Amino acid sequence: MSKCTVCTFLSLVRAADLEDILSQEGAWTLFVPTNDAFKGLTEQEKQTLISDPNALKNILLYHLTRGVFIGSGFEPGVTNILKSIQGGKLYLKVVNDTLLVNELKSKESDLMATNGVIHVVDKLLYPADLPVGSDELLTILKKLIKYIQIKYVRGYRFEEIPRTYYTSLIITKVVDPKIKINESSYEKEVPTITRITKVIEGEPEFKVVREGETITKVIHGEPIIKKYTKIIDGRPVEVTEKQVTEERIIQGPEVKYTRITATGGANTEETLKKLLEEG
């Protein structure tokens, strides 16, 4: 078995209780730093990072954004600005067929996962406008991040990022009232099962699978739930429909795409390891 090349990042994700982001339903773009991004980090310094959960989550969630953004779908030389879950901006562009993230070259890009896409980088990403208020943390970050000047504001504290910013909830429940069906000389009640998707931040879950050219961005509106009664074989049956409006911004000519209902999965670390292990 090849050595895991992103184990340090995965261990920090696990320590921050963010492991479920690797397998949760939805559509995500994740930037994964390799072990080289943490070169020189001592175990004591790692524990210092872990001891400040808000700081650690701010750093890790800057590597995650909603939506599937594939490097090969960007117009060459054009800077694309994405908002991370942390709130800071990510700057992506393609130069000479290479994806740049905040002007850093992606070691490997466009790795399709069941719930989005992964881009591998060999540097730890950090928002340039986010200050640090701890001398100890500043020393650690300067050790890892040399491509930007990190701001220092004495006493600054990282804000807590609500869990609802990066999780979605799916509920299946029995909805009342029950449907009454008359059959011959007897009457029975049949509960209706309705699958309700509660969407956080106004984005329903979806996945995009590339076929031919690439859909670079899909913007979804709030799902619209419609209920009505339909007569089937002489019986009244309540029908629930979910409609989602979407706007597609496509690079190039009209493309084919597949829209798949997210199913999620339990394999988190293993899924990412299989994609990113050296062959």
Side-chain angles (χ1 to χ4, degrees):
M1 180 69 69
S2 300
K3 181 181 178 181
C4 171
T5 61
V6 295
C7 288
T8 303
F9 176 76
L10 291 176
S11 66
L12 290 174
V13 167
R14 189 162 47 246
D17 194 26
L18 296 174
E19 194 172 11
D20 56 349
I21 69 174
L22 302 183
S23 64
Q24 69 176 326
E25 297 183 359
W28 308 91
T29 296
L30 178 65
F31 302 91
V32 182
T34 64
N35 294 338
D36 288 340
F38 302 94
K39 190 174 181 180
L41 184 70
T42 67
E43 185 59 33
Q44 181 178 352
E45 290 170 333
K46 182 178 177 181
Q47 291 305 315
T48 299
L49 283 174
I50 294 173
S51 67
D52 188 339
N54 286 345
L56 183 57
K57 285 183 178 180
N58 270 267
I59 294 170
L60 296 177
L61 291 176
Y62 181 61
H63 294 72
L64 180 69
T65 185
R66 287 183 180 273
V68 178
F69 299 97
I70 303 171
S72 59
F74 291 130
E75 183 179 348
V78 176
T79 298
N80 301 268
I81 303 175
L82 309 180
K83 184 178 179 181
S84 72
I85 296 300
Q86 177 272 335
K89 294 177 180 178
L90 291 158
Y91 300 87
L92 276 66
K93 68 179 177 180
V94 174
V95 177
N96 296 327
D97 296 325
T98 299
L99 177 65
L100 303 183
V101 185
N102 294 355
E103 298 299 327
L104 302 171
K105 290 184 178 180
S106 173
K107 184 176 181 180
E108 194 171 1
S109 60
D110 296 357
L111 300 176
M112 299 307 298
T114 57
N115 57 351
V117 64
I118 296 169
H119 304 297
V120 182
V121 292
D122 57 9
K123 301 290 184 184
L124 182 66
L125 303 179
Y126 191 86
D129 58 350
L130 184 66
V132 174
S134 161
D135 292 314
E136 190 174 17
L137 182 58
L138 180 65
T139 300
I140 294 172
L141 292 178
K142 281 186 173 181
K143 187 176 184 179
L144 302 177
I145 302 169
K146 297 181 172 64
Y147 56 90
I148 60 170
Q149 183 70 35
I150 299 177
K151 297 179 181 180
Y152 177 72
V153 177
R154 184 174 297 279
Y156 175 83
R157 293 181 179 276
F158 290 91
E159 294 183 5
E160 181 180 358
I161 301 177
R163 194 171 184 83
T164 53
Y165 277 30
Y166 52 89
T167 57
S168 56
L169 178 64
I170 296 178
I171 307 171
T172 300
K173 67 178 183 179
V174 177
V175 181
D176 288 325
K178 299 176 181 179
I179 295 176
K180 292 184 178 181
I181 298 178
N182 293 313
E183 290 189 355
S184 301
S185 59
Y186 67 94
E187 181 179 89
K188 68 177 183 179
E189 293 186 342
V190 180
T192 58
I193 305 298
T194 303
R195 182 176 174 84
I196 300 175
T197 302
K198 182 179 180 182
V199 181
I200 306 301
E201 297 293 303
E203 291 188 63
E205 60 211 39
F206 72 98
K207 296 189 193 70
V208 174
V209 175
R210 188 167 40 144
E211 181 180 335
E213 294 293 331
T214 302
I215 297 177
T216 56
K217 189 175 183 181
V218 179
I219 304 173
H220 284 248
E222 291 282 357
I224 301 172
I225 306 298
K226 291 185 177 181
K227 293 184 179 181
Y228 57 90
T229 301
K230 190 174 184 180
I231 304 300
I232 301 177
D233 295 331
R235 302 172 183 174
V237 178
E238 184 178 313
V239 178
T240 301
E241 289 185 352
K242 182 177 77 171
Q243 296 180 352
V244 177
T245 59
E246 61 181 39
E247 175 185 350
R248 291 186 289 278
I249 301 175
I250 304 172
Q251 299 289 342
E254 184 178 356
V255 300
K256 296 180 179 179
Y257 69 96
T258 304
R259 187 159 180 256
I260 305 173
T261 300
T263 56
N267 296 329
T268 56
E269 179 172 338
E270 286 302 318
T271 300
L272 196 55
K273 280 184 179 180
K274 288 178 181 178
L275 283 172
L276 304 181
E277 284 177 354
E278 294 178 342

